[in-house]
């Protein structure tokens, strides 16, 4: 049997001990000797060894190739991740649309946008990964209006906390910020004399009934502007508060619930005010805006 394989040789003459000898060269260039009782026996063994060696080499080449591809892919992903940045303005807008807009009222959403506007101006397209606690501290220090500063800090804390949870940044820079909290001024109620003077001043105003209702019940103007005839129990002189009105970009928006759950309530009203409300022909009792009411107060106050 003639064997024609690269790196393989079989002696046709037996050794002194009667055995036949052959060899093949492995992948490392080393000779591997094979022995047998006959030339045919050695040849068959070598052929088997050669096939096994070839298969092993193919597997090794494939494994090395796959390993190399894996290393390259891992490097590319790492490189891509290293280059990926999140501009503050884009991340902020995404945070508002995903986590705030679906869960808060339009008025609250507008308040959030107003609160973060200074940060939007200051940081713009700066990658959120590069913004430090000192950057935020400097921003807040330069916001003169204390209430706006508090709201800006509160919302920025939520933004950076979310970015930390999402592993976009390693730590929340807001944790190192130190800003004195704003204390709200105590609101002073009108005295009896001030109420009397106000009622006289607004007596001829087209919004006189609105002012008297608010003054006698203590309801918010947004709650008053949302009232309809369906909310009034004319027989028992009571009104139900279950919604309010907000104006965003000039658009009147009726919200289904008041500012808080505790705002859902039933309030008694004076009999003469109840009669006047009943005489109104439209379903909406006060179809006016905040500004119209405020301007009316200003004009009537000057007359007083």
């Amino acid at each position: 049997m003639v064997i024609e394989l690269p790196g393989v040789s079989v002696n046709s003459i037996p050794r002194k001990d009667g055995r036949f000898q052959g060899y093949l060269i492995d992948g490392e260039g080393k000779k591997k000797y094979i022995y047998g009782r006959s030339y045919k026996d050695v040849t068959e063994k070598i052929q088997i060894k050669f096939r096994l060696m070839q298969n092993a080499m193919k597997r090794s080449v494939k494994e090395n190739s796959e390993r190399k591809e894996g290393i390259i892919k891992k490097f590319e992903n790492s490189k891509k991740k290293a280059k990926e940045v999140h501009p503050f303005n884009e991340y902020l807008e995404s945070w508002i649309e995903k986590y705030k807009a679906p869960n808060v009222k339009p008025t609250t959403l507008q308040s959030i946008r107003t609160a973060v506007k200074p940060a939007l101006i200051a940081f713009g397209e700066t990658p959120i990964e590069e913004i430090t606690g000192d950057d935020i501290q400097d921003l807040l220090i330069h916001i003169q209006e204390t209430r706006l500063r508090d709201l800006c800090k509160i919302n920025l804390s939520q933004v950076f906390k979310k970015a930390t949870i999402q592993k976009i940044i390693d730590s929340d820079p807001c944790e190192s910020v130190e800003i004195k909290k704003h204390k709200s001024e105590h609101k002073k109620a009108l005295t009896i004399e001030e109420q009397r003077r106000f009622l006289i001043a607004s007596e001829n105003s087209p919004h006189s009934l609105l002012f008297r209702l608010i003054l006698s019940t203590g309801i918010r103007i947004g709650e008053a502007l949302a009232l309809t005839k369906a909310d009034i129990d004319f027989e028992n002189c009571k009104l139900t508060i279950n919604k309010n009105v907000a104006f965003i970009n000039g658009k009147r928006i009726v919200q289904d619930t008041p500012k808080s759950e505790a705002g859902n309530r039933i309030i008694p009203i004076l009999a003469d005010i109840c009669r006047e409300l009943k005489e109104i022909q439209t379903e909406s009792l006060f179809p006016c805006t905040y500004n119209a009411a405020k301007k009316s107060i200003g004009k009537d106050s000057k007359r007083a």
Side-chain angles (χ1 to χ4, degrees):
M1 179 185 291
V2 179
I3 183 167
E4 296 181 354
L5 294 173
V8 172
S9 177
V10 179
N11 292 333
S12 58
I13 301 173
R15 291 157 41 104
K16 291 180 179 181
D17 61 4
R19 293 186 303 165
F20 283 80
Q21 174 185 295
Y23 70 84
L24 56 81
I25 299 175
D26 64 15
E28 296 178 357
K30 296 179 181 180
K31 287 184 178 181
K32 296 288 184 180
Y33 289 96
I34 308 295
Y35 302 94
R37 288 174 296 179
S38 67
Y39 180 86
K40 181 180 178 183
D41 187 25
V42 173
T43 301
E44 289 176 348
K45 287 181 178 180
I46 284 181
Q47 288 177 327
I48 293 172
K49 285 280 186 181
F50 185 83
R51 284 196 297 271
L52 291 174
M53 186 181 73
Q54 289 291 93
N55 291 336
M57 288 177 65
K58 288 179 181 178
R59 283 197 302 272
S60 178
V61 170
K62 184 179 179 182
E63 288 172 1
N64 288 336
S65 176
E66 290 175 349
R67 191 180 299 111
K68 184 177 179 181
E69 287 178 5
I71 292 172
I72 292 173
K73 189 174 181 180
K74 186 176 181 181
F75 174 75
E76 289 177 347
N77 290 338
S78 177
K79 191 175 179 182
K80 183 180 179 182
K81 186 177 181 181
K83 286 186 175 181
E84 187 177 3
V85 295
H86 300 80
F88 175 78
N89 55 355
E90 293 180 11
Y91 185 82
L92 177 65
E93 183 60 30
S94 174
W95 174 77
I96 290 174
E97 292 301 322
K98 288 181 180 178
Y99 302 106
K100 290 300 173 182
N103 301 311
V104 301
K105 296 178 184 178
T107 46
T108 304
L109 190 63
Q110 183 67 21
S111 176
I112 291 172
R113 290 191 178 279
T114 301
V116 298
K117 190 173 181 180
L120 196 57
I121 295 172
F123 301 139
E125 296 182 358
T126 302
I128 195 171
E129 296 90 342
E130 297 178 9
I131 298 173
T132 66
D134 283 347
D135 294 331
I136 299 171
Q137 181 80 17
D138 289 339
L139 164 69
L140 296 175
I141 286 174
H142 288 89
I143 297 178
Q144 299 298 317
E145 189 181 336
T146 53
R147 178 60 178 161
L148 176 61
R149 185 171 64 218
D150 282 353
L151 291 175
C152 185
K153 181 180 182 296
I154 289 169
N155 284 284
L156 284 181
S157 293
Q158 294 181 25
V159 170
F160 284 97
K161 183 178 180 180
K162 180 62 70 175
T164 305
I165 293 172
Q166 294 174 327
K167 301 190 184 304
I168 291 173
I169 55 178
D170 295 327
S171 60
D172 179 0
C174 287
E175 291 182 354
S176 64
V177 172
E178 296 181 13
I179 291 291
K180 186 178 180 180
K181 190 174 182 180
H182 165 67
K183 291 184 179 180
S184 300
E185 294 182 5
H186 181 68
K187 294 182 180 180
K188 183 182 176 183
L190 295 176
T191 64
I192 298 298
E193 175 58 23
E194 287 171 336
Q195 292 181 45
R196 186 188 68 79
R197 288 169 54 194
F198 175 79
L199 290 174
I200 292 173
S202 63
E203 188 174 8
N204 296 320
S205 168
H207 306 296
S208 174
L209 178 57
L210 171 64
F211 299 147
R212 284 184 282 125
L213 177 65
I214 292 174
L215 194 59
S216 63
T217 60
I219 63 175
R220 301 181 181 92
I221 187 169
E223 295 170 337
L225 296 183
L227 288 172
T228 65
K229 280 199 167 184
D231 299 319
I232 311 297
D233 179 353
F234 293 107
E235 185 176 345
N236 297 300
C237 290
K238 293 180 180 180
L239 62 82
T240 298
I241 298 295
N242 53 23
K243 55 188 175 294
N244 71 345
V245 161
F247 293 89
I248 300 178
N249 297 325
K251 185 178 179 181
R252 178 187 172 101
I253 298 175
V254 178
Q255 300 176 137
D256 292 336
T257 56
K259 193 171 183 180
S260 65
E261 285 302 316
N264 289 297
R265 59 205 189 277
I266 296 175
I267 302 173
I269 51 178
L270 297 173
D272 58 339
I273 291 179
C274 188
R275 284 194 296 271
E276 289 184 64
L277 291 173
K278 190 174 183 179
E279 292 173 1
I280 295 175
Q281 299 300 311
T282 58
E283 179 62 21
S284 177
L285 297 176
F286 304 107
C288 65
T289 65
Y290 291 162
N291 288 338
K294 287 179 181 178
K295 288 179 181 178
S296 175
I297 292 173
K299 291 177 182 178
D300 293 325
S301 296
K302 290 177 181 178
R303 293 194 194 103

